[in-house]
Amino acid sequence: MKITFLIGNGFDVSVGIESSYSKFYEWYCKQPSILKYINDFKTNIQRDMNQNVPDEEKTWADFEVGLGKYTAEFTAEQVSQFLDCYEDAQNGIVEYLKGQEAKCDVSAISESSLSEFANTVLNFYQELPDLERIAVNAVCNDVKNDDREMSFVSFNYTGILEEILKRLPTTTLKKWKNGNNDHACKLNTNVIHVHGTISEFPIIGVDGDGQIVNKELLSTPQFREIMIKAECVNALGRLWHRQAEELISKSRIVCVFGMSLGETDAKWWRKLAQWLKADGNRHIVVYWYDRNPPNGVSVRKQLEGKNNVIEKLLSYSQLADKEKDTIKNRIHVIINTSKFLRIPKSEIVKEEQEDIAPVQEGALV
């Protein structure tokens, strides 16, 4: 039986990497450029960050949506200038995240913290309310004649997750007998990065044509293959999306951690809704971060917090309301986990932190 974890930026932040969009933008907009239209691009980012919601609530999905909107500032003849802005931001992301990764030392993590990390993977449903925990546990225990494989799909560009997975002690993994056969839980340390890594084509962009404001640019050479993420992966000849889709299709349970459920990844939320609809034995567990979480007293706020997450996930699904109602009870929400995939920051982040070198214009990625 396969259980798959979709991992977003919230994981990197939780282990001490300052990789939130708000942190990146603060650094990126200070980097000098000799090109006026790139400086204008950074000014636009700063203006966008000052509008509507506080900086700390802006996500990478907001940045990608902003890229799609920013196409309105260019004509078809100026598409190369837009792509220069895109590439400058891409280079900036690489340099910034390299600096953040350099601050981390996975080898310094204690054995006890690694064991606890592994334990939370194996018991990923423990923070669910009783009835939901029993339901998810029943799905896990229903398949006793097969090994349990835990796999990871990352929407991050960093490699910290796989470094931690490779250090986990295999002695903590669950084992059981079914008749005369031995079975066990296995951790797949080969993480699928659906949008590349800082060393191999980190992809930023949108989900589809609808998120590009200036439709005129869609017919220009290379624009679609750069800005629309699925098309970019295909143009690069990589199997990242296909591998992740196949893994999800074969899974009985999918967990989503550290993701904002943003519209520029709508493809994946549609995929999960269809996947859930296709089999009544499938479940989704969403670990959700809320800056103003329910206080554990108000029933109304507790239910609203959970239902808001479910509604957001299903808003991309294109399912009819009756179809949504049939699968809602198999979407489980854990708000502000205190345990899952936790590593103490004091164990992984180096005390002495070096400054990040400014991004060099035109640097190769």
Side-chain angles (χ1 to χ4, degrees):
M1 184 181 75
K2 294 184 182 296
I3 299 171
T4 297
F5 300 88
L6 307 187
I7 306 296
N9 179 246
F11 171 76
D12 281 359
V13 172
S14 73
V15 298
I17 298 177
E18 294 184 349
S19 59
S20 65
Y21 174 53
S22 60
K23 291 293 184 182
F24 165 72
Y25 117 87
E26 290 174 4
W27 172 85
Y28 175 62
C29 289
K30 294 176 183 176
Q31 307 309 308
S33 174
I34 60 174
L35 297 175
K36 180 182 182 300
Y37 56 84
I38 290 181
N39 284 322
D40 291 343
F41 172 61
K42 293 176 180 178
T43 299
N44 180 271
I45 292 174
Q46 290 177 309
R47 187 185 304 118
D48 180 63
M49 288 295 285
N50 291 329
Q51 293 176 347
N52 302 323
V53 297
D55 288 3
E56 65 272 12
E57 294 184 17
K58 291 281 190 175
T59 67
W60 284 104
D62 293 316
F63 171 61
E64 292 176 320
V65 168
L67 279 177
K69 292 178 180 178
Y70 197 61
T71 59
E73 303 296 320
F74 300 84
T75 65
E77 290 72 28
Q78 296 172 319
V79 68
S80 63
Q81 292 185 11
F82 174 82
L83 295 179
D84 284 345
C85 293
Y86 172 100
E87 197 164 38
D88 189 79
Q90 186 184 48
N91 289 337
I93 290 169
V94 169
E95 293 303 317
Y96 180 78
L97 292 180
K98 280 184 177 179
Q100 290 299 314
E101 272 200 340
K103 298 175 183 179
C104 298
D105 182 8
V106 173
S107 66
I109 302 173
S110 68
E111 293 298 325
S112 61
S113 292
L114 290 170
S115 293
E116 181 57 29
F117 185 98
N119 187 57
T120 66
V121 174
L122 297 175
N123 299 286
F124 60 91
Y125 49 82
Q126 287 302 311
E127 293 177 89
L128 287 172
D130 293 345
L131 289 177
E132 295 180 67
R133 186 177 67 251
I134 291 169
V136 174
N137 189 37
V139 172
C140 293
N141 291 333
D142 185 49
V143 183
K144 294 184 178 180
N145 61 345
D146 193 9
D147 289 344
R148 190 178 303 166
E149 182 177 77
M150 328 285 273
S151 300
F152 295 81
V153 175
S154 177
F155 289 71
N156 298 332
Y157 308 120
T158 61
I160 297 298
L161 174 61
E162 42 261 74
E163 288 187 43
I164 294 174
L165 291 176
K166 289 173 182 176
R167 284 207 61 209
L168 295 184
T170 57
T171 53
T172 62
L173 301 186
K174 184 178 179 180
K175 298 179 180 179
W176 69 92
K177 269 187 173 293
N178 185 46
N180 295 323
N181 298 317
D182 294 322
H183 295 284
C185 286
K186 299 177 181 179
L187 287 180
N188 184 352
T189 59
N190 295 317
V191 177
I192 299 171
H193 286 265
V194 293
H195 295 147
T197 66
I198 56 177
S199 61
E200 185 181 17
F201 305 121
I203 294 169
I204 52 177
V206 298
D207 186 65
D209 294 12
Q211 294 165 3
I212 301 294
V213 170
N214 186 352
K215 307 300 183 188
E216 185 181 10
L217 300 189
L218 289 166
S219 60
T220 58
Q222 289 192 327
F223 179 85
R224 293 183 62 92
E225 294 179 337
I226 289 175
M227 269 297 292
I228 298 178
K229 289 190 278 191
E231 294 189 28
C232 184
V233 172
N234 289 336
L236 291 169
R238 297 307 194 266
L239 297 174
W240 304 329
H241 279 207
R242 186 184 303 179
Q243 290 169 338
E245 289 170 1
E246 289 177 356
L247 186 58
I248 291 170
S249 296
K250 294 176 182 177
S251 298
R252 182 72 72 93
I253 297 170
V254 172
C255 299
V256 181
F257 178 78
M259 302 191 71
S260 64
L261 304 181
E263 61 184 286
T264 55
D265 286 318
K267 162 184 176 173
W268 300 101
W269 316 135
R270 289 192 297 270
K271 169 77 176 175
L272 285 183
Q274 292 292 341
W275 168 85
L276 201 60
K277 175 190 169 185
D279 190 330
N281 290 317
R282 293 171 174 171
H283 290 254
I284 295 174
V285 178
V286 181
Y287 291 85
W288 186 255
Y289 177 70
D290 190 339
R291 286 184 172 81
N292 298 295
N295 58 17
V297 175
S298 171
V299 175
R300 177 184 179 184
K301 289 182 179 178
Q302 180 68 30
L303 296 180
E304 281 182 350
K306 173 184 174 180
N307 289 334
N308 287 342
V309 176
I310 295 173
E311 291 297 333
K312 184 170 187 178
L313 175 60
L314 293 180
S315 67
Y316 304 102
S317 68
Q318 301 174 342
L319 297 178
D321 289 342
K322 287 185 178 180
E323 292 176 310
K324 292 178 183 179
D325 289 340
T326 63
I327 63 176
K328 283 181 179 179
N329 67 333
R330 289 183 284 119
I331 302 175
H332 313 279
V333 180
I334 296 172
I335 297 177
N336 292 10
T337 174
S338 60
K339 301 176 181 179
F340 187 63
L341 299 186
R342 295 300 186 190
I343 294 289
K345 293 181 182 180
S346 58
E347 292 189 16
I348 192 171
V349 179
K350 299 175 184 177
E351 291 184 8
E352 295 183 4
Q353 299 183 351
E354 299 176 0
D355 292 333
I356 304 168
V359 60
Q360 299 298 310
E361 236 173 8
L364 294 177
V365 178

